[in-house]
Amino acid sequence: MLLTDIAVEHTLTPVKGGPRVTLVLHPFTNTQRDSLGKFEIVRGISEPGGKEVRRSTFVSFQQLAELYAKGVLDEFGFSVRMCPADGKYPTTNPVKKILPTSFKPGSQFDLAVQGVDVSKPASRELRTALLRTNVKL
């Protein structure tokens, strides 16, 4: 399922030359067992020895809204795995940093973000998911 409430333009530059193509990308839910129906968020971190690695975790629609409302994605440099509407991307689906300006005003996701009580602590499930990316809330 695509979350069409969020849309980001992405320009695809062919490796062997040719015309550039601009696509509109949306976050999409995973289809695998444990992460079925969840969105993938990705963060680059430095491991001991200076090696840069990417860590990802999967969050639900409501958890993604909570992370945006609390500013966690921006604060810790998270990106969201994206997919074009037709589902066809020539390589691995890209990750993009998504600003709240990319939300469709008044959409279901925008309302979910606005409805989050930021004074409440994050749920245990969300805190556990973020530990995979070395983030403690």
Side-chain angles (χ1 to χ4, degrees), residues 53-70:
V53 294
R54 282 187 165 180
R55 298 274 186 236
S56 70
T57 192
F58 294 89
V59 295
S60 68
F61 178 90
Q62 191 57 45
Q63 290 170 336
L64 185 63
E66 181 177 347
L67 291 172
Y68 270 108
K70 293 182 176 181

Side-chain angles (χ1 to χ4, degrees), residues 5-21:
D5 295 352
I6 300 173
V8 177
E9 281 194 359
H10 174 74
T11 302
L12 180 64
T13 306
V15 178
K16 297 180 182 179
R20 298 174 119 190
V21 178

Side-chain angles (χ1 to χ4, degrees), residues 91-133:
T91 58
T92 303
N93 286 324
V95 294
K96 291 284 205 180
K97 291 196 185 307
I98 302 174
L99 300 174
T101 55
S102 300
F103 304 163
K104 188 184 304 181
S107 67
Q108 183 181 1
F109 187 75
D110 189 39
L111 295 175
V113 171
Q114 293 174 23
V116 171
D117 183 356
V118 294
S119 64
K120 288 185 177 180
S123 69
R124 181 176 182 202
E125 182 183 357
L126 180 56
R127 288 192 318 265
T128 301
L130 291 177
L131 283 176
R132 276 187 50 81
T133 63

